[in-house]
Amino acid sequence: LVGRNLKIKSGTSGKFIKLPCELNPALFRLAGLIISDGHLTRNYIELSNSNLEILKEFINLLKKLFGLKGKIEYPKDRVSKVRMSSPIVSEILYKIFEIPYGNKARRVVVPKIIFSQNEECVLAFISSIIDCEGYIGKSEIEIGMTSERFLKDMGRLFLRLGAITTLTPKKHSYRLLINGYNNFSKLYKIPIKDKIKLLGFNRLLNKKIQKTF
């Protein structure tokens, strides 16, 4: 036991891996990133994203939480990615956060454990989904996914914050919509990291204020 972390020895590499002793917002932020744009196998964790700031954050989260080291890869004609090998961390993400191994698009779910966590953990998880899967338009926030169950559970998380959502089907997927200033105003605490989406989100929050002048 070191500080607020455990250290265990990996059976494959022989290296020590740091494990958090308790659930925290950083873990839920990491889980959300992998659920959105990541890929999990029994041996490695991967995230692909065109936003290099998101990839850098992914590297920092895995280092902070588990002591893993990684770097951004730039495959030719493909999206940039980060891949880190750790069967132990993969198993934790699989068992605690219910992230499926392999192709997860239709099997992904909101981890049950999040519904018993504090608001800070919920906000961290929602922010990662918006950063990777969200679209912020002139009058709405939209999250598109293949998994209907996932978006239904995301609706429950938004409702916990006081925002009402609408779930609608598309051709081969579903979208969760949030409209109206009354709903947007309940979400101001969400720590969106994507700079363009944050600008759009702030614009939605400021719309009602601008109309009063």
Side-chain angles (χ1 to χ4, degrees), residues 17 45 62 78 107-108 124 134 159 172 175 199 209:
I17 295 177
I45 310 105
L62 283 168
R78 297 178 66 184
R107 299 184 292 140
V108 72
L159 189 60
H172 298 295
R175 62 177 183 168
L199 285 173
I209 297 172

Side-chain angles (χ1 to χ4, degrees), residues 143-208:
I143 299 173
M145 299 281 280
T146 306
S147 171
E148 181 182 16
R149 178 183 170 186
F150 181 86
L151 290 182
K152 283 182 177 179
D153 283 342
M154 284 298 297
R156 290 173 59 196
L157 288 181
F158 279 111
L159 189 60
R160 175 172 164 178
L161 301 177
I164 298 172
T165 60
T166 303
L167 181 64
T168 60
K170 296 180 74 172
K171 189 173 182 180
H172 298 295
S173 61
Y174 298 86
R175 62 177 183 168
L176 193 71
L177 291 172
I178 305 170
N179 294 286
Y181 178 80
N182 287 338
N183 285 319
F184 301 146
S185 65
K186 305 293 195 319
L187 307 177
Y188 71 94
K189 292 182 182 179
I190 297 175
I192 296 172
K193 300 289 181 68
D194 184 289
K195 293 178 181 178
I196 295 175
K197 292 177 183 179
L198 180 59
L199 285 173
F201 184 57
N202 288 335
R203 186 184 64 246
L204 293 178
L205 289 176
N206 291 331
K207 268 192 170 184
K208 187 170 183 178

